Amino acid sequence: MLRGNKHASGTWGELWIDGIAILEFKKVEAKVSANREDIQVGIDMDSKLTSLKGEINVTVNKVYSSYNEVMKNYTSGKDVRSQVIAKLKDPDSPNAQMERWSLDNVWWNDIPLFIAEKGALIEEELTGGFTPSDAVNLDAIKR
């Protein structure tokens, strides 16, 4: 039986972008989507994997003006890429294991320049992509 305390909690997540610890991060999500083409085989419709697409979303609590360098690079025509490392090490995970991923060749599609809302904490969301072949599972939580 799997007990409740063995379920991972994001409280123990950590994030680094280009070697800088992003202590103010609230959420990070990286996923890979399969692009497929339909293939008819007899009467059946099957599919053929044609490519993979990596997407990343990062939500941070506003603390620093963090995106000035990214904006300077973009406005000067430079498409600078990043490395993102995400880690989840919940002390209750089975055998105190952790999960870590390194994503290289990360590009940013949306960068927040300015957000303000009276009476509210400010959150900023970055969205982007990465090449799935540059995603490396550094550590996995095993059974």
Side-chain angles (χ1 to χ4, degrees), residues 15-18 28 56 58 82-86 101-106 108:
L15 179 69
W16 293 266
I17 299 178
D18 296 328
V28 59
I56 185 167
V58 176
S82 292
Q83 178 192 49
V84 174
I85 296 178
W101 282 88
S102 174
L103 309 174
D104 288 321
N105 196 35
V106 175
W108 301 109

Side-chain angles (χ1 to χ4, degrees), residues 49-79:
L49 176 69
T50 58
S51 65
L52 299 174
K53 179 181 180 181
E55 297 176 80
I56 185 167
N57 292 310
V58 176
T59 304
V60 297
N61 291 319
K62 174 71 174 185
V63 178
Y64 305 107
S65 298
S66 301
Y67 315 110
N68 292 336
E69 287 304 311
V70 175
M71 187 62 182
K72 283 180 192 174
N73 282 323
Y74 283 3
T75 57
S76 65
K78 296 177 185 171
D79 187 6

Side-chain angles (χ1 to χ4, degrees), residues 80-94:
V80 177
R81 303 299 170 102
S82 292
Q83 178 192 49
V84 174
I85 296 178
K87 172 179 152 183
L88 182 59
K89 186 176 173 125
D90 188 319
D92 275 337
S93 70

Side-chain angles (χ1 to χ4, degrees), residues 21-32:
I22 308 300
L23 303 176
E24 66 276 19
F25 101 93
K26 186 171 183 179
K27 180 180 178 181
V28 59
E29 179 181 3
K31 69 178 183 175
V32 174

